[in-house]
Amino acid sequence: MASPSGVLSMSKLIKPLWGGRLRNTVNVFGATLTSRREKSSLTPPPAKYGGRHTVTLIPGDGIGPELLNHVREVFRFSCVPVDFEVVHVNSSLATEDDINNAITAIRRNGVALKGNIETIHTMPPSVKSRNNLLRTTLDLYANVMHCQSLPGVQTRHKNIDIMIIRENTEGEYSSLEHESVAGVVESLKIITRNNSLRIADYAFRLAREKGRRRVTAVHKANIMKLGDGLFLQCCREVAAGYPDITFDSMIVDNTTMQLVSKPEQFDVMVMPNLYGNVVSNVCAGLVGGPGLVPGANYGRNYAVFETATRNTGKSIANRNIANPTAMLLASCMMLDHLKLHDHASSIRNAVLTTMNETRLHTVDIGGQGTTSEVVQSIMRFIQSKGQLTTEL
């Protein structure tokens, strides 16, 4: 990168480029809510050291390191007042020292941007998923994914606009398994009233704040009558306090069929942990794939941003063909969380313009562009709008 000496004057805030329901994107990406049952709202950490924010950066595995390097490149070029504290997590180690260092850094900084950390299933059962440890230790109870049709991306279904709220700390991800007798394994699914009420209230508050009209609870209470039955009952209790929002429920297997046949029927969806993993991947596929959709994990005190589907992308790592869109949009959500809205809008609009107007696409959405070519196009657009930048 060239030195910041050659700078351009700051232009006015770039307006959103698309209309209709997609106009809500700028507001939704970066939404942070806290349950009414919480004592205080989640607020970003204050800027420090000359108005700059420090953010924990966890490169992760697969395509994570190269995509986050591009995020840092765009941030430097756009003069974003964010400094990254890089913490590497080695997914092949049995000890938890590295993930504990990352958790400590997030507690120190309040915010993180991360690539997905591989969970190696052949390691001993005592070795827990690093991603899961991070979410549960920091109590990042709400995973938020805004799945929407993006301009310039050809898909079977049009005008998809679904918000998925996933409980992030319990359910099948409780990591409680044992072999009761030889050849018989019990894996415990934990559903609690407090956490079910908390995530349901988060979903309804988010729906009201964003002008949404319907919340759908996804469950399997016809089979898991106690566990999912409790989750569904908690959703109904919370729904009673939001008479302005329509509430319904749907069994998870029917939900996946309905998503691929009539996705327009869904607005806001709330669900336990495992169903959220399945549904979020289905929805990402509906709008073009995992390279397009950002995600966020919110708790009372901390926020961690990443791609929505949490894929490592090992098969395409270091080949300069990964789609940078999801990670860049996740970084924009982070900037909105830090109240750096001008920078978030500038980068987000550049990403979407490159996708829609220049039609420069990576191979996953039918193009031939490389990762670096897409990123260079994004930076040229930012520069063309007169934003304060360093030289290309």
Side-chain angles (χ1 to χ4, degrees):
M1 299 292 295
S3 67
S5 58
V7 296
L8 301 177
S9 60
M10 179 72 75
S11 68
K12 295 181 178 179
L13 176 64
I14 298 176
K15 302 297 182 182
L17 296 178
W18 60 90
R21 295 187 73 186
L22 286 177
R23 192 178 299 277
N24 293 330
T25 305
V26 174
N27 293 327
V28 173
F29 287 170
T32 58
L33 296 178
T34 301
S35 167
R36 289 178 295 179
R37 296 170 178 81
E38 301 284 357
K39 294 181 180 179
S40 62
S41 61
L42 173 64
T43 55
K48 50 189 176 182
Y49 306 125
R52 300 183 67 85
H53 296 269
T54 302
V55 170
T56 301
L57 187 140
I58 305 172
D61 296 308
I63 60 176
E66 59 189 288
L67 293 184
L68 287 170
N69 280 338
H70 285 300
V71 170
R72 298 173 74 182
E73 180 183 9
V74 172
F75 275 29
R76 285 194 300 267
F77 178 76
S78 302
C79 301
V80 176
V82 166
D83 298 310
F84 289 107
E85 179 185 0
V86 181
V87 181
H88 294 280
V89 176
N90 189 336
S91 58
S92 64
L93 297 179
T95 63
E96 297 177 359
D97 293 344
D98 51 356
I99 191 63
N100 288 335
N101 289 337
I103 290 169
T104 299
I106 296 172
R107 283 179 169 148
R108 178 166 55 246
N109 299 321
V111 180
L113 183 65
K114 69 180 282 288
N116 193 44
I117 305 166
E118 183 181 12
T119 299
I120 304 174
H121 67 88
T122 56
M123 295 186 75
S126 59
V127 180
K128 297 182 180 180
S129 163
R130 296 325 193 223
N131 301 292
N132 199 31
L133 274 174
L134 190 148
R135 295 191 290 267
T136 55
T137 303
L138 296 174
D139 195 26
L140 301 170
Y141 66 89
N143 175 245
V144 180
M145 168 184 173
H146 187 189
C147 180
Q148 61 180 353
S149 301
L150 293 178
V153 179
Q154 296 300 315
T155 56
R156 179 184 180 90
H157 297 282
K158 310 298 180 184
N159 301 317
I160 295 173
D161 190 1
I162 304 170
M163 297 199 68
I164 299 170
I165 313 300
R166 168 187 177 183
E167 205 292 319
N168 220 15
T169 61
E170 55 181 22
E172 295 84 354
Y173 288 68
S174 301
S175 299
L176 297 173
E177 294 183 303
H178 64 274
E179 189 174 29
S180 52
V181 297
V184 179
V185 173
E186 293 179 312
S187 181
L188 302 183
K189 171 178 177 174
I190 306 298
I191 298 290
T192 63
R193 178 175 174 81
N194 284 344
N195 286 351
S196 296
L197 289 171
R198 180 170 68 168
I199 196 65
D201 192 58
Y202 185 99
F204 276 90
R205 290 191 68 195
L206 183 61
R208 176 178 283 175
E209 182 175 298
K210 301 305 172 186
R212 301 289 181 136
R213 298 180 178 180
R214 178 183 297 272
V215 173
T216 301
V218 180
H219 66 93
K220 193 64 176 176
N222 58 324
I223 302 299
M224 288 169 275
K225 300 184 190 305
L226 293 179
D228 281 22
L230 174 60
F231 180 84
L232 184 57
Q233 178 58 34
C234 289
C235 290
R236 287 170 175 159
E237 290 179 23
V238 172
Y242 294 84
D244 52 316
I245 299 174
T246 301
F247 172 72
D248 61 5
S249 62
M250 188 175 291
I251 295 173
V252 62
D253 40 335
N254 184 37
T255 300
T256 57
M257 181 184 68
Q258 295 294 327
L259 277 169
V260 299
S261 57
K262 295 187 293 183
E264 65 277 0
Q265 68 185 286
F266 295 104
D267 194 358
V268 175
M269 307 173 75
V270 60
M271 62 206 73
N273 210 336
L274 180 61
Y275 309 153
N277 191 10
V278 174
V279 169
S280 62
N281 277 268
V282 172
C283 286
L286 290 174
V287 298
L292 298 175
V293 189
N297 306 278
Y298 297 114
R300 182 177 179 181
N301 299 310
Y302 312 105
V304 175
F305 301 87
E306 59 187 345
T307 58
T309 60
R310 301 169 177 171
N311 296 316
T312 58
K314 285 183 67 175
S315 62
I316 60 172
N318 303 313
R319 294 172 56 190
N320 198 26
I321 60 173
N323 193 331
T325 302
M327 191 65 80
L328 285 168
L329 291 178
S331 73
C332 292
M333 293 178 70
M334 182 192 73
L335 292 177
D336 277 326
H337 175 73
L338 294 173
K339 302 189 184 306
L340 298 172
H341 301 300
D342 288 11
H343 290 289
S345 296
S346 171
I347 295 171
R348 184 182 292 116
N349 288 337
V351 169
L352 296 171
T353 297
T354 295
M355 186 179 302
N356 186 37
E357 295 183 11
T358 67
R359 299 283 174 157
L360 181 56
H361 293 171
T362 46
V363 67
D364 59 308
I365 53 175
Q368 297 181 335
T370 65
T371 310
S372 55
E373 287 173 345
V374 172
V375 172
Q376 287 294 313
S377 178
I378 289 167
M379 292 193 294
R380 282 195 296 270
F381 180 83
I382 293 171
Q383 190 176 58
S384 73
K385 292 300 179 180
Q387 296 297 112
L388 181 64
T389 64
T390 61
E391 293 180 353
L392 275 170

